Amino acid sequence: MFFQKKKLFDENIIKNIYKKDRVVRYFQFFVGALLVALSFNLFILPNKIVYGMSGVGVILNATLGLDPSMVILIGSLILLVMSYFLLGKEKTMNSILGSIIVPIFMKVTEFVPQYIQIDTTDPLLLTLFGATITGFGMGLVFKAGYTTGGTDILNQIVSKYFHMSLGNAMYCTDGLIVASSFFFFGATKLLYSIMSLYIVSIMTDKVILGISSSKAFYIITDHETAVKKFIMEHLSHGVTVLDGRGGFTGNHQKVIMCIIPTKEYFVAKEGIREIDNNAFFLVTDAYEVNGGE
């Protein structure tokens, strides 16, 4: 009974999340999907960059002359069916839209290269722009709460049934697809594909998380009062004092937590060192700060 109530509670939370800003999220999704499709036709396909399900489309287009958008659509639909039976309905729902819309947009925008002439003799430029635009588009799709389907589904299946982390599953699936470019297009295209995949992942994270405008400081010091005074009075930022305990010694100690704008990072760091050169502090990016004053 308890677990049934908890499950219903969790489902209501998820439903409420997806009800919020639905128009904005759909707009983000469609813009993101369009950017991914345009990037594929303008940069990825002409340069034979291979990663993910689009990489399968590139390979089969170059070797068998198949329509890449149809290859991606059919492959994504097969993975959707597998997802439904192997991962369940809930895991599959958020991948349906992307699995269908992205390849459709690729088909609809395949005429664009005829009107936007890009010099294909500079593969590095094509790789950089293609990966950046693709990563930005995928970031918008993920930020809207959806996925682009394809190997995203395959990664989850491999992770679940081979008992490995999602990151390791990505290395296996995407890694094999990227590595296959060596046999079809040579070592140079393999290197461009690896670089492209890396840039895509970086851009996707940047869109989802944003660019960090603040730093979170966690400080352990013997001069707690002086450090707090410096942060509150000289930097004009609030602090929170947490109770901590040393894992090895078991001694209780205070941990000062505060959020500092990135532009004040240097002053804050050097100020803490000036007060207590032996202070231990951890600094992380704070991508979003809500509440408080």
Side-chain angles (χ1 to χ4, degrees):
M1 189 70 178
F2 169 77
F3 291 107
Q4 288 180 337
K5 288 183 177 180
K6 185 178 184 301
K7 185 178 180 182
L8 288 173
F9 179 72
D10 292 341
E11 288 176 354
N12 287 332
I13 291 176
I14 298 297
K15 287 179 181 178
N16 289 334
I17 289 172
Y18 282 102
K19 282 180 181 178
K20 292 179 180 178
D21 304 320
R22 185 172 293 177
V23 174
V24 174
R25 291 195 302 106
Y26 279 141
F27 178 77
Q28 280 185 336
F29 168 79
F30 282 107
V31 170
L34 182 60
L35 287 174
V36 171
L38 286 170
S39 177
F40 177 80
N41 286 313
L42 286 170
F43 304 106
I44 306 302
L45 183 61
N47 201 28
K48 294 182 174 60
I49 297 297
V50 174
Y51 56 82
M53 185 57 68
S54 64
V56 177
V58 170
I59 291 173
L60 294 182
N61 174 256
T63 56
L64 302 177
L66 299 180
D67 185 336
S69 59
M70 287 302 298
V71 170
I72 295 168
L73 177 60
I74 293 171
S76 296
L77 290 177
I78 292 172
L79 287 172
L80 275 177
V81 174
M82 292 174 61
S83 175
Y84 182 83
F85 289 104
L86 298 177
L87 299 177
K89 180 180 176 181
E90 291 182 9
K91 290 279 189 180
T92 306
M93 290 300 294
N94 292 337
S95 298
I96 293 176
L97 198 59
S99 297
I100 297 172
I101 296 298
V102 171
I104 288 176
F105 277 6
M106 287 177 177
K107 184 65 177 177
V108 170
T109 59
E110 65 181 7
F111 72 93
V112 173
Q114 300 174 14
Y115 296 94
I116 302 178
Q117 298 296 325
I118 297 176
D119 183 10
T120 57
T121 60
D122 190 346
L124 179 60
L125 187 66
L126 291 175
T127 301
L128 291 174
F129 268 88
T132 302
I133 295 172
T134 299
F136 187 82
M138 290 179 67
L140 289 176
V141 171
F142 293 146
K143 195 171 184 177
Y146 299 95
T147 77
T148 54
T151 52
D152 291 329
I153 296 173
L154 187 58
N155 293 336
Q156 294 180 60
I157 294 173
V158 171
S159 174
K160 179 178 179 179
Y161 287 94
F162 288 87
H163 306 290
M164 61 176 67
S165 69
L166 193 59
N168 288 333
M170 289 174 65
Y171 285 130
C172 292
T173 55
D174 287 319
L176 286 174
I177 294 173
V178 171
S180 67
S181 65
F182 172 79
F183 300 101
F184 294 100
F185 307 123
T188 302
K189 292 299 182 184
L190 170 62
L191 295 176
Y192 280 129
S193 296
I194 293 172
M195 181 174 68
S196 185
L197 185 61
Y198 177 74
I199 295 171
V200 167
S201 65
I202 294 295
M203 279 301 301
T204 301
D205 285 346
K206 289 298 180 186
V207 173
I208 294 172
L209 297 174
I211 298 173
S212 171
S213 59
S214 301
K215 303 293 183 186
F217 278 74
Y218 297 87
I219 310 156
I220 298 174
T221 174
D222 293 330
H223 302 275
E224 178 191 338
T225 302
V227 170
K228 287 192 299 183
K229 184 177 180 181
F230 170 72
I231 295 171
M232 291 189 293
E233 295 185 6
H234 293 278
L235 298 181
S236 301
H237 297 297
V239 301
T240 298
V241 180
L242 309 174
D243 288 320
R245 184 162 61 89
F248 180 73
T249 64
N251 295 333
H252 290 274
Q253 50 196 173
K254 299 295 184 181
V255 181
I256 301 171
M257 186 194 76
C258 61
I259 305 297
I260 304 293
T262 300
K263 62 183 179 181
E264 297 178 26
Y265 164 74
F266 176 78
V267 176
K269 179 186 71 171
E270 293 302 319
I272 294 167
R273 283 180 172 172
E274 193 69 26
I275 296 169
D276 182 4
N277 195 43
N278 294 318
F280 170 85
F281 57 91
L282 168 70
V283 183
T284 64
D285 287 319
Y287 290 99
E288 187 171 349
V289 180
N290 290 316
E293 295 183 0

